[in-house]
Amino acid sequence: MLNRSVLSVMLLASCVFAVSAADNQLSEKEKAEGWELLFDGQDLSQWRNFKRDTLSDKWQAKDGVLQLSGAGGGDILTKKTYENFELQVDWKISAGGNSGIFVLVDETGNAIYSHAPEIQILDDARHSDNKIDSHRSGSLYDLLAAPASAQKPAENWNHVVIRLEQGHLQVWQNDVVTTSIVIGSSSWNTLMAASKFANWDGFAKQHSGHIGLQDHGDPVYFKNIKIKEL
C-alpha cells in the first residue's frame, strides 16, 4: 500500500502531465496576460491563403494539428496583422522537408517571402538546403544561423518563440536563442548586404504585417499557435 506522501507525488505528477499535454489551449494565466490562440485544434477561420480570401483544403485541421497534407496548398497567413508581438508555435517537419514561419508579411510583392523575414523549418539531416548554416532550422533565413543545439531531427516537435518589439527581433528554438537583432540597424544592414535579399526592394521595411506559414511542397505540422500583442 502506498503511503500518503508517495500518493501526493504521483497525483502532482499526473496533474503536471495533464497540463503539459493540453494542446491548443490557453491557461488562465495566459488569458489574463492577453494571449490569443491562432489555432484551437479545429478552427482555421483565422487563416487564409496569400492574396486570397479563402484557404486551400490542403491545409487541414486533423487530430488537433494544423497540417499541410501535400504540395499545392499555397502559403498561408493570418487574417490579422501585428506590429509588436510575441508568437509561440510548435512545428514538426516531414523527412526531407522544408517550410518556414514568416513575420511582417505584406501582400504587395509577388510571393509571401518577397518582403517578410523567415524563421526556417527544415530537415537538417536530409534536405539539400542544409549546406548553408543560415538555412537550417531555427535560423533567420539567409541572415543568421541557429546553433546546432537548437535543432532536432525531422519528425520531432520543436517549440519556437518569436518576439518582435520596436524592431527588435528575437527568436528562441527549443529554449536556445537563435536570433537577436534590430531590423534596420547597422548590424542588420551588414547581414542584408551579404544575403540574397541585398537587392530585394521593400524587404523587412514594413512596421507591421501578417504571420505566415509556408507551403514548400512538403508535409508540415503546427500546433499550439498563440500570440500576444505587446
Side-chain angles (χ1 to χ4, degrees):
M1 184 173 179
L2 296 174
N3 61 40
R4 289 185 177 180
S5 61
V6 173
L7 279 171
S8 297
V9 170
M10 291 176 66
L11 286 170
L12 177 61
S14 66
C15 290
V16 169
F17 176 79
V19 169
S20 64
D23 285 334
N24 306 309
Q25 295 184 27
L26 295 177
S27 68
E28 292 304 316
K29 181 174 183 291
E30 287 174 320
K31 292 176 184 177
E33 290 173 346
W35 287 90
E36 299 177 23
L37 285 175
L38 294 178
F39 173 65
D40 66 1
Q42 300 179 26
D43 182 14
L44 300 177
S45 65
Q46 297 191 68
W47 298 87
R48 61 178 176 84
N49 278 99
F50 180 72
K51 291 194 174 183
R52 295 191 178 182
D53 295 327
T54 56
L55 183 68
S56 167
D57 60 9
K58 290 192 175 182
W59 285 96
Q60 304 170 353
K62 185 175 181 181
D63 299 326
V65 175
L66 170 57
Q67 61 184 60
L68 176 63
S69 60
D75 302 321
I76 65 173
L77 45 75
T78 55
K79 292 180 178 179
K80 187 176 177 179
T81 59
Y82 301 91
E83 182 173 0
N84 299 304
F85 62 87
E86 184 172 317
L87 172 73
Q88 296 193 27
V89 182
D90 290 346
W91 65 264
K92 180 171 66 172
I93 190 65
S94 54
N98 187 336
S99 184
I101 303 167
F102 297 98
V103 297
L104 297 178
V105 176
D106 68 17
E107 295 179 281
T108 62
N110 294 325
I112 197 170
Y113 51 77
S114 295
H115 302 147
E118 175 187 359
I119 307 307
Q120 175 74 316
I121 291 174
L122 196 77
D123 177 353
D124 296 314
R126 299 178 184 87
H127 197 281
S128 59
D129 225 11
N130 64 8
K131 297 177 178 64
I132 302 174
D133 59 1
S134 62
H135 290 191
R136 297 173 190 153
S137 76
S139 298
L140 179 59
Y141 182 78
D142 212 57
L143 292 166
L144 283 172
S149 58
Q151 297 159 353
K152 293 183 180 181
E155 301 181 316
N156 284 273
W157 284 107
N158 297 263
H159 181 66
V160 170
V161 178
I162 302 170
R163 184 181 178 94
L164 181 63
E165 186 171 19
Q166 303 301 323
H168 185 192
L169 178 61
Q170 297 172 281
V171 182
W172 297 260
Q173 181 166 279
N174 301 319
D175 298 322
V176 177
V177 177
T178 66
T179 293
S180 181
I181 193 163
V182 176
I183 296 173
S185 66
S186 58
S187 297
W188 172 270
N189 292 336
T190 298
L191 291 171
M192 282 283 292
S195 76
K196 66 189 293 181
F197 309 116
N199 297 312
W200 288 32
D201 290 339
F203 186 83
K205 295 296 186 182
Q206 58 277 22
H207 296 293
S208 64
H210 306 270
I211 307 299
L213 302 177
Q214 187 179 40
D215 172 7
H216 206 283
D218 306 307
V220 62
Y221 310 87
F222 301 95
K223 64 179 181 178
N224 298 323
I225 311 171
K226 51 192 172 184
I227 196 165
K228 177 175 68 172
E229 296 191 72
L230 303 175

